[in-house]
Amino acid sequence: MLYGLKIALRYLTANKAQTALLVSGVAVGVFIFIFMSALIGGLAEFILSRTVGDISHVTIEAETPDPAVLVDAKGHLLVAVERGRLRTATLRDTETWTPLIEAIPDVRAVSPQITGAGFLARAAQVAQVSVTGLEPGRESAILDLEGYLVAGSARLGSGGIILGKNLADELDLSVGQVVRLQSSNGVSVVPTVGGIFQTGTGMLDRTSVYVSLPTARTLFGLPQGVTRLEIKLYDLNAADATALRIRGLTGLDAVPWTDGAEQLMEALNAQAQTGYFLKSFALITIVIGVASALLLSTYRRRPEIGIMRAMGARRGFVVFVFVTQGALVGLLGGVAGATLGYLALLPFPGRDEFRPGTLPMDITQGSYGLAIMLTVIGAILASILPARSAARVDPVTAIGQ
Amino acid sequence: MSTLLDVRDLVKTFGEGETATHVLRGLSLTLDTGELAALLGPSGSGKSTLLTILGTLMKPTSGRYRMLGQDLVAADDAALTEFRNRHIGFVFQFHNLLPDFTALENVIFPTAVREGRETSAARRRGRELLVRMGLEDRVDFATTKLSGGQKQRVAVARALMNTPQLVLADEPTGNLDRASARQVMELISEINRDEVTTFLISTHDEKIAACCRRQIAVADGLVTG
Ligand SMILES: Nc1ncnc2c1ncn2[C@@H]1O[C@H](COP(=O)(O)OP(=O)(O)OP(=O)(O)O)[C@@H](O)[C@H]1O
Ligand SMILES: [Mg+2]
């Protein structure tokens, strides 16, 4: 079949301009395929990192026991204990669990936290805040405080507090100033502003304050245990599996971020579907282009095909020559398109540097190999029809023309 | 002399019913090994039709055709392709050569297509044949750069490549000038004499026919002399 390859190559090089045009057409299709892959993949990456990049991927929360109730024989509710009156539920033994969870390969960081509500006051101004106690040294484990910092430091000393830019502006606070933080339990502390962050998310920037875990213990009257464990993963998409694993390992109720994120997942799915649709069109264009070009070529070469058949070329040989042409065009166009696609994606910022306002193209999600493979397969399929029609050429009429 | 091929009561009809063209009407013919025969007859008498049937490129409507002991009417396309490749060479009037290949590549095609590659043995034989045709300085020429007479000589070389028993030539000199035509015919006679290859050549040219040792006249789909 080496000889068939030689003839296929000769036919392709005999009309260089036409072959170049055909290969460019295929390359454009592949380019679109790769561009779409990188864009859809990048968009998904971008949306995910925007929405869940800064939140816990697997969360273990202390179970608040159901309020105690007293019901009579007929089912009438007699007494109910108000939820807020109960002591805050806590997770115990976190010192035991934390290293175990940290040992799971996909886990990037574990952050034990104590959360609660409180008021932040400076002089006569008071703002309602949600307080999170973080373990010193793990301040940036879940929300990247370090990365969002606009003033001061992201390290939490025992008497420090880190708060959002909006809140700081509201209370006219700057680094080094002293504030009063009062918990819902009525306990007050007087920390110094150690750092100010700005995430761009209004809620966080206006209502969140971070203190050290010991400070939070004082505020919420929790000498031991924490109220929640937040876990960050390397792979967002592995949250379900990892949550299951943690549940199996610890018996704690580990909840993946995907619980309650159905709408987001649906949106991402719909986006991926659109991508498949567009990529299929790119492939169909390639197939039609290759098929029509080869059909034209078989028609033009009918007398030659007749001569070859008369000289003893089998039908299979003729099929091979034309299918090989298709495969070569697919391969050349595929590689050219993939190279162009890669080069075109190079100037776009990497996946960790996506900025709002620019296209979040992810060069690593170009599906280059897949694009080339599908193109070659498509081109081979496209050449089968012309090749078969070439093999059926009747030598007598072809030569007699 | 042994019999090379034998056709009996060959009928070829194109079309059906009212529009049917009866081209061959029960033609019988025997060719012996080593013959050099001219096929003569008026235009439309069925010379080309007979040659394509003998070349196994077309099947007769009815009749028998045996060559080298094989029944070539019953054989399927794959068997006939193989048979043609080994035993039959062709020289046509037009569209003879593959335009994107050199003279040598054209000549060795019948061997290369059978062996799946161009062997050096095939190249050697192809070159020898081209030298014999007086084309030693045109071996690696693109066929599009050859004159009509040179092209036909390349075609003769190619027809001989697989040392076939039979070479069928349909007006091989039809569009050549006198000198080129005579040169091609001289080469054919020479090879017929030296290599005991049977030639059947259709022609309108009495001078060409005179070069052959046997003249077969066809008229109205029958051999008339
Ligand atoms: N495929 C076909 N369909 C219908 N009729 C055909 C076909 N091929 C040939 N014929 C007819 O058969 C007859 C013989 O044709 P053929 O080509 O064999 O003649 P020829 O003797 O070679 O003529 P010439 O000397 O002009 O080449 C012609 O009348 C032609 O019209
Ligand atoms: Mg004719």
Side-chain angles (χ1 to χ4, degrees):
Chain A
M1 285 292 103
L2 210 63
Y3 191 55
L5 181 66
K6 171 178 170 154
I7 297 202
L9 274 173
R10 185 64 58 87
Y11 277 180
L12 287 179
T13 49
N15 200 333
K16 290 199 183 66
Q18 193 184 315
T19 304
L21 214 60
L22 179 56
V23 168
S24 322
V26 172
V28 168
V30 174
F31 181 84
I32 291 171
F33 185 100
I34 283 171
F35 214 71
M36 286 314 303
S37 295
L39 180 60
I40 299 287
L43 264 179
E45 191 72 34
F46 179 68
I47 290 170
L48 277 180
S49 74
R50 282 262 118 187
T51 50
V52 289
D54 281 334
I55 64 165
S56 169
H57 298 155
V58 178
T59 308
I60 303 170
E61 228 157 338
E63 282 172 65
T64 310
D66 283 334
V69 290
L70 192 61
V71 183
D72 76 359
K74 289 179 183 152
H76 294 302
L77 190 64
L78 299 179
V79 182
V81 181
E82 225 179 294
R83 203 181 264 264
R85 297 275 169 81
L86 279 167
R87 252 191 67 128
T88 314
T90 55
L91 289 165
R92 303 189 184 278
D93 306 326
T94 45
E95 292 84 353
T96 326
W97 297 132
T98 304
L100 274 177
I101 295 170
E102 272 175 333
I104 296 174
D106 193 39
V107 171
R108 179 154 46 185
V110 180
S111 171
Q113 304 177 353
I114 291 172
T115 54
F119 299 94
L120 191 68
R122 181 183 179 240
Q125 286 172 292
V126 179
Q128 199 168 1
V129 293
S130 84
V131 183
T132 306
L134 297 174
E135 201 167 271
R138 298 185 194 230
E139 295 91 343
S140 299
I142 306 296
L143 176 69
D144 185 14
L145 283 177
E146 183 83 55
Y148 290 125
L149 211 64
V150 291
S153 127
R155 313 239 63 182
L156 280 167
S158 55
I161 183 168
I162 298 176
L163 42 83
K165 178 92 166 55
N166 295 8
L167 186 59
D169 289 349
E170 203 181 310
L171 298 184
D172 200 16
L173 287 170
S174 55
V175 173
Q177 286 184 308
V178 176
V179 287
R180 168 181 290 275
L181 179 61
Q182 185 175 43
S183 74
S184 49
N185 296 26
V187 181
S188 291
V189 291
V190 188
T192 309
V193 175
I196 296 171
F197 64 85
Q198 186 172 28
T199 61
T201 309
M203 253 304 266
L204 278 178
D205 294 349
R206 195 169 311 111
T207 64
S208 289
V209 302
Y210 295 90
V211 294
S212 72
L213 210 50
T215 308
R217 288 196 190 292
T218 315
L219 277 171
F220 297 105
L222 282 177
Q224 332 155 350
V226 295
T227 59
R228 65 150 92 213
L229 272 182
E230 289 197 344
I231 299 158
K232 197 146 195 193
L233 307 179
Y234 287 105
D235 182 7
L236 275 177
N237 303 313
D240 290 2
T242 310
L244 263 179
R245 198 162 161 191
I246 293 171
R247 221 179 285 194
L249 197 69
T250 62
L252 298 172
D253 187 24
V255 179
W257 68 269
T258 47
D259 271 24
E262 283 81 7
Q263 276 181 330
L264 174 63
M265 298 312 274
E266 254 168 47
L268 289 177
N269 251 334
Q271 192 178 286
Q273 298 284 329
T274 313
Y276 292 137
F277 205 63
L278 292 172
K279 287 191 270 184
S280 307
F281 270 116
L283 279 178
I284 290 170
T285 313
I286 291 173
V287 168
I288 292 176
V290 172
S292 59
L294 280 180
L295 211 54
L296 215 65
S297 155
T298 57
Y299 193 76
R300 218 163 38 80
R301 294 190 184 277
R302 281 165 61 86
E304 286 169 66
I305 296 165
I307 292 165
M308 291 201 276
R309 294 278 290 126
M311 298 300 140
R314 280 169 281 106
R315 285 213 165 101
F317 179 81
V318 178
V319 168
F320 181 85
V321 166
F322 281 91
V323 170
T324 304
Q325 285 183 68
L328 286 172
V329 165
L331 189 66
L332 280 176
V335 171
T339 311
L340 273 177
Y342 185 80
L343 292 178
L345 290 176
L346 269 181
F348 286 92
R351 58 200 292 179
D352 300 324
E353 297 145 31
F354 288 153
R355 295 265 171 283
T358 61
L359 279 181
M361 306 292 272
D362 186 354
I363 194 165
T364 61
Q365 294 198 52
S367 319
Y368 307 95
L370 182 73
I372 295 174
M373 200 178 74
L374 287 178
T375 305
V376 172
I377 293 174
I380 287 176
L381 291 179
S383 58
I384 286 177
L385 184 81
R388 287 177 60 107
S389 94
R392 277 198 293 265
V393 162
D394 173 24
V396 182
T397 46
I399 298 166
Q401 278 169 353
Chain B
M1 280 266 182
S2 60
T3 302
L4 174 67
L5 68 86
D6 181 51
V7 292
R8 287 290 132 217
D9 309 320
L10 215 55
V11 172
K12 183 68 194 183
T13 307
F14 291 106
E16 276 175 37
E18 300 269 301
T19 57
T21 317
H22 302 281
V23 182
L24 302 181
R25 303 163 178 261
L27 180 147
S28 296
L29 174 70
T30 303
L31 279 182
D32 288 334
T33 303
E35 277 200 276
L36 175 57
L39 194 59
L40 289 154
S43 183
S45 56
K47 301 183 297 295
S48 296
T49 305
L50 177 61
L51 287 178
T52 42
I53 291 174
L54 293 179
T56 75
L57 294 173
M58 182 162 73
K59 295 233 173 171
T61 309
S62 70
R64 287 193 295 128
Y65 174 22
R66 296 185 71 82
M67 178 170 162
L68 297 167
Q70 288 194 43
D71 179 353
L72 296 183
V73 176
D76 66 6
D77 181 77
L80 290 179
T81 303
E82 168 85 14
F83 188 89
R84 273 202 301 278
N85 182 264
R86 290 183 181 277
H87 306 299
I88 303 176
F90 292 91
V91 183
F92 305 105
Q93 184 176 0
F94 306 109
H95 293 309
N96 238 322
L97 302 177
L98 305 174
D100 298 314
F101 294 80
T102 65
L104 182 64
E105 285 170 333
N106 263 279
V107 171
I108 65 179
F109 181 90
T111 305
V113 80
R114 185 174 70 212
E115 295 180 341
R117 63 202 186 93
E118 293 175 323
T119 60
S120 49
R123 272 203 206 89
R124 208 173 317 116
R125 172 159 171 82
R127 200 176 290 274
E128 274 167 25
L129 284 166
L130 283 172
V131 170
R132 182 138 193 210
M133 297 295 142
L135 292 170
E136 55 270 36
D137 53 350
R138 293 290 184 273
V139 169
D140 294 316
F141 263 54
T143 50
T144 45
K145 290 186 184 141
L146 298 177
S147 74
Q150 288 168 338
K151 277 185 193 161
Q152 285 309 68
R153 282 185 276 156
V154 173
V156 172
R158 185 183 56 190
L160 298 170
M161 182 66 195
N162 281 351
T163 52
Q165 273 83 352
L166 175 67
V167 173
L168 300 167
D170 195 358
E171 301 188 45
T173 58
N175 54 346
L176 299 185
D177 64 24
R178 240 169 222 283
S180 308
R182 207 178 48 238
Q183 192 182 17
V184 169
M185 277 314 293
E186 272 165 13
L187 284 165
I188 287 179
S189 323
E190 205 181 293
I191 284 152
N192 168 259
R193 202 174 49 236
D194 299 350
E195 300 198 4
V196 204
T197 304
T198 307
F199 281 84
L200 182 60
I201 302 156
S202 88
T203 181
H204 288 285
D205 189 332
E206 295 293 339
K207 285 210 173 66
I208 299 289
C211 297
C212 300
R213 288 195 298 281
R214 179 181 169 190
Q215 284 79 31
I216 302 164
V218 184
D220 288 329
L222 290 167
V223 174
T224 54

